[in-house]
Amino acid sequence: MPRISSSAAAESSPLASSEYVLQVRNVSKAFPGVQALDNVSFDLKPGEVHVLLGENGAGKSTLMKIIAGAYLPDAGEILIDGQPAANLTPRKAQELGVGIIYQEFNLIPFLNVAENIFIDQLPTRQLIRLDHKTAHRKAREILASLNMEVPTHALAVELSTAQQQIVEVAKALTHNSRILIMDEPTASLTDREIEQLFMTIRELKSKGIGIIYISHRLREMKEIGDRVTVLRDGRYVGTHNLSEVTVDSLVTMMVGREIDLLYEHDEVSLGEEVLRVEGLSSKATGLRDVSMNLRRGEIVGLAGLVGSGRTELARAIFNADRHDEGRIIIFGKESKGKTPKDSVRNRIALLPEDRKRQGLALILSVAENVLSASLDKVFPRGWVDQRKQKSLSDEYIKILRIATPSGARITRDLSGGNQQKVVIAKWLATGSEIFIFDEPTRGIDVGAKCEIYGFMNHLKKNNCAVLMISSELPEVIGMSDRIFVMREGTIVAEVSRGEATQEKIISYAMDAAPERPANSGTDQNPARADPGK
Amino acid sequence: MSPLKTLLDIPKIFWVNVALIVAFSLISSRYMTILNAINIMQQGAVLLVITAAMTIVILSEGLDLSLGAVMTMAGVVSVLALGAGLPVPVAILAGVLSGTFLGAITGTLIAFCKMSPFIATLGMQGVIFGFTLALTHSKAIFTDNANFILIGSRIGRYVPLAAILCGIIFLSVWATLHHTKFGRYVIAIGGNESGAHLSGINTTFWKWFVYVFAGTVTAMGGIILAARLEVADPIVGVGWEFDAIAATVLGGTSLTTGRGDVSGSFLGVLLIMLLRNGMNVVGTPPIWQPALMGTIIIFAIAFQVSTTMREEAGR
Amino acid sequence: MNSPAVAGVALKQRLAQVELATWASVGRFVALIVLCIGIGSFSSVFFTERNISLTLTNACVLIILGVGETFTIITCGPDGPDLSVGSIMTITAVVAALMAKAGIFFGFAFGASLLFGAAIGLVNGLLIARGGLPPFIATYGIQWAVFGFAYVILKGYVVYDFGADFRFIGNASLFGFLPMPVVVMAVVVVAGFVLLRKTTLGRKIYAVGANRDAAYMSGIDVSRTILIAFVVSGFLAALAGLVFVARTNAVQADIGAQYLLTAIAVVFMGGGGIGGQGSVVGTVVGALIMTVVQNAMDLYGVPGVWRNAIIGALIIVTVLFELQLKRKIVRRN
C-alpha cells in the first residue's frame, strides 16, 4: 500500500503514474440484520468499462454508494488515483472526480437541458443575472464532445429516456468526472437508444474516463464491457476479462447459493383452477401480453429481476392498477373488479412488497391492523365489538406465533418478521383463498422466514392457491410447484419443479438462455423489440 | 409546428378570457372602453403582484396563506410611519422590510422547523392579522400625504400609475424566475427536490428564501394598495391569498410538480378581474358578488386541477 | 426470534414509546390544571361558579367544531383541516334564524340547518375525494363562497331576538343547573368518541389517516371514508352554529370567522395533527386550554386588539411543539 501511494506522489500526473483510477480494497459494510458487503475489492482503469454483476441484493448498489460517498464503509479503504480517500462525502467524491448516474430520475422536469447540465454552477453575468447564452453554448459543447445532439432548450420532461441519460452524463462531465458510475443505464431504453448510449460510452472511454457499469443484461455487457466483477451475497466472486468468459460461466458465478433445508415441500393433489390471466397488457405499468394460471393446492413462483413486471402483475391481478387489455378470471368467472375492495370480496389477498408503505398502518395497534381488511365481514353491523376483536386478534397472534405482549401493541414496535406475520393475519382474517406474496421474506430473520414458509405450505394443504414473487432463487426453487419467469414486462418461461435450477431461471430472467421460449419472437432481443407496439 | 397546433398550445384560459370580454361587450355597450380597461388594470394591479409572489411559492411546492395579512401589514406600517413624520421613501422602505421580516419568520418555520406550509402560514395569518389589528386599534388609518398617494393614483385619466408600478414589479418577478439562480432553484425544488439536493443545491436555504422573497414582493403590493385607497385598513387583505392561489392555479401552475409560470398567473388574474368587473358592468348586485365569485372560482379550480392531474397522469 | 434479548429490547422500546406519548397527554392535562390553578390564584373571580359555568359554555362551540376537525385531521393529516367550518356554522345559523323569524317550527328549522351543513360538507368531500383537490384548497374556497352567501341572505343586517323554544339549546338549563350548550357538547363528545372508537367507520378513518395506501390495499373505500369525515365536520359545524345563535340571541354574517384558527388549533393542542392520530378527548382538553386562556385574557383585561395576535402565536408555538414531539415519537424506532 505505501508503495503505491509514494510512487503516485512521485509522479506529476497521477493518471500516468497509477494504473488504476480507482481501487476499492477489502471493503465491508453492514446494515442492521444484513452484511451488505463482506471484504470486497474492486478496481477501475482509466478508459475501461468495468461491469459490476450480481443478483438482486448481491451488494452492487451498496458498493456504488460507498464509492460515491453516500455511505461510509465499516472496514477497508478506497484509493482514487492511488491516493487514499478516507471519509468520503458525496461532495468530496464529486471533487475527486466521481460522477454517478442513478437509476432514479434526478433531472429537474421543468428546467431545460442546459439548466439541468449546469444546475449547481449556472453561469451568471451582471451580478445575479443568468447567462443563458453561455450555458447553452457550453452545454452544446459538452454534448458535441459526446457526439450527441440534444436540443439544449428542451425541457427535461420532453426528452426521451435515452436523452435524459445523456444529459445526466453531460452533467457528470461538468464536474470533470474521471470515474463514472452508471446504474442500469439501459433499463428502459429501446435498442436504438442503447446503441446511442453505447456510442456515448465509447466516446467517454476514448477520453480516458473509467466507467463502472451495472447491468443485468449479459449480452449487452459483452458488447460494451472490458472487464467484469461478480458479486454474490455481498462477497467478491471474481474479476475477468469479458472477452475470456462465456455467458454461461457468468451465470454460474452469480448463482450457487445453497438450497438448504429451510424449504419444506409437500405434494398436494391439485385442485381446480382459481386464477387465470389471459393476454394482460398495460401501457402504464409496462405489462405485455401476460398469460398465466394458478390452481388450488399449489405454490407458483414468479421469478425475474427487479423491474421485470412481477409486482406490476400482482397489482394488476389485485385491481390495484388498471390494465388496458386482457382478462382476469377468478374462480371461473371473469373479474369485473375495479379496486382492491372488489378483490378482497373475491377472496384474493396481496401481501405487498413494501409492507411498511402498503401493508400496514405502523402507528396503529396489531389488533387494528389484523382486522383492517375484514372490518365489514367481522362486524357486519358496523359496531366494533371489543371482545370479539380481542379474541379474534389473539387467535391469529397465537396461530401465527406473532411475538407481541398483546394485540394492543403498536405495530411499529414489532420486528420485521412479526410485522409480516401481522400482514398475513390480516389476510387470513378475510377468509381469502388466493394469496399473492410479493417478496414475503425480504428483510426478515431466518426463524420468521421458516415460519412463513410453513404458513405457505399450510395454505397449500388447505386448498388455497399461492402465487409467490421472490428475488431469492433458492427460495423460489425450494418452495414452488411451478415457476413463471418474467422479463421486461412479460412471462418468458414456465419451469416445472423438476427442471428448475438456479442457472436456468437466471438465464431466462437475464436473457441469456441458450434457446428461446416458444412465445417470444425471432428478434435477438425479443423483450424490447418494437418499441412502437 | 403547424399553425393549428400553435393555436391549441395557447392555454384554454386565454380563450376563456377572450370569450368573457366578447360576452360582456355584447351585453353592455359601456364595457369596451379605454376607461374601463384602465379601471380593470388599476383594480387588478395589486392582485397581480400578490399572485406573482404566490406563484413563486406554489412553484416551489409550497403555499403561503399569510400573504393577504402580510400585504395589509405592509400598508399599515408604511402609513403609520408617514403618520410618525418619516419621509415617504423611508416609510415605503419600512413597509417593504416588514414584509421581508414576516417572510423570514414564515420561511424559518417551513424550511428549518419543517412545519407543513399550510399550517405554518395559516398560523402566521392569525398572528400577523392580530398584530395589524393591535397596531391600528382595529381602525382604518387615513393618509393625506400627497407624495405617498401618488404611487397608487392615476395621472390624468389615462395614466394608471399603480398599474404601471405593479406591472414593473410583476415583470421583475418574472425576470427573477427566469433569469436568476434563485428562480431556477424554485423550479428545481418544486419539480424534484431530492434531485436538486443530490445535485448540490442547498434546498433548505432556498426554500427559506422563497418565503422571504414572497413576503417582500407582497409588501410592495400592499403599500401600493394603501396608496391607491389612501387608507391603511387592517382588514383589507382578508381573503386575498385565496384569490392569489386561485389565479395561480387557473393560470395552469401545478400544485405539486413545479410546472407553471407567472405568465400563466397573469391570465388567471385577468380572468378574476374580468369576472369582477363584468359583474359590475352587467349590474349584478354588489351583495351577490362575493358569493358568486367564490362559487365560480372554486369550481373553476376543481376543473383546472382535475384537468392538470389527468394531463400529468397521461405523461 | 423469541429470544429474551430481542424481547427485552422490544419491551424497552415499547416502554420508551408509550412513556413519551403518555407523558404528552398527561402533560397536556397537567398544563390545563396548572393553568387553572395559576389563573385562579391571581383572580378571585376565576373559580366562582358563575365563571366556571360561563367558561364551560363558551368552550362548547369550540369543542363541537373541534370534534369535527378531529375527524378530518385524523383522516387527511396535517393538510386536512376543514377550513370551511366557520362559514358553515355562520350560514346554517343564518338559515335557522331566518326560519325561526318566519315562524317555522324550531325543530324543523334545526333539522333543515343540520342537513344543510352536512350537504356543504358533502360538497367539500366530493371536491377532495373525487375532484382531487387538496383539502385546504377545497375547504378554503368553499369558505369564501359560503361566507358570501351568508352575506347575501342577511344583506348585511343582524338578525336577533328569537323565541324561547328556539333559544332552548343555547340558554336553557337541564335540571336547572346544566346549561344546554354543555349538554349538547357532551352528546357530541360522546357520539364522536363512540363513532371513532367503537365503529368500523372509526376504524376506517384511523386506517386511512395512518396509511392511505395500506388502507386502499386492504380493500377500504378510501374516498368514501374521506367523504364521510367531511360530512361529519359539516354537520357538527352546523350544530355549533345553532348553539351559537341560540346562546347569543343574534346572528350576523361573520360569526364563524373567529373560529377559523382556533377550531384547528385545538386538535393539534390535543395531540392530533398527524394522520391516524388524535382523539376526541385530546381535542376537548385542547379546547379547554384555549378557552381558559381566553377567559384569563378577559379577566386580566388584555386589550381586545391584542388577543388575535396572542392566540395566533399560541397556536404556532403549540403546533411547533406538538410536531417536534411527534417527530420524536416517530423517530424512536
Side-chain angles (χ1 to χ4, degrees), chain B residues 63 113-116 118-119 122-127 130-131 133-134 138 238-239 241-242 245 287-288 291 294-295 302 305, chain C residues 78-79 81 83 127 133 136-137 140-141 144-145 148-149 151-152 155 261 264 268 305-306 308-309 312-313 316 319-320 327:
Chain B
L63 184 77
C113 301
K114 310 243 181 292
M115 273 173 94
S116 125
F118 160 69
I119 289 291
L122 188 67
M124 282 302 286
Q125 184 192 81
V127 175
F131 271 96
L133 285 181
S138 307
V238 172
E241 63 281 340
F242 188 70
I245 294 171
I287 202 165
W288 274 94
T295 313
V305 166
Chain C
D79 288 348
L83 297 177
L127 287 172
L133 283 189
F136 56 84
I137 300 267
Y140 207 44
W144 296 121
F149 279 109
Y151 186 65
V152 169
K155 300 185 183 66
L261 272 176
I264 298 162
F268 279 81
V305 289
W306 280 105
N308 274 305
I316 292 206
V319 169
L320 205 54
R327 288 215 182 94

Side-chain angles (χ1 to χ4, degrees), chain C residues 37-48:
Chain C
I37 293 173
I39 296 166
S41 58
F42 285 99
S43 161
S44 54
V45 192
F46 186 77
F47 277 121
T48 57

Side-chain angles (χ1 to χ4, degrees), chain A residues 11 36 56 67 183 192 196 199 223 274 311 316 406 432:
Chain A
E11 295 280 337
N56 301 324
I67 297 170
D183 188 3
R192 269 189 54 194
Q196 218 181 358
M199 275 165 60
E223 187 185 338
V274 289
T311 299
S406 83
S432 294

Side-chain angles (χ1 to χ4, degrees), chain B residues 97-111:
Chain B
L97 287 181
S98 72
T100 313
F101 173 72
L102 294 171
I105 297 178
T106 308
T108 304
L109 292 175
I110 293 163

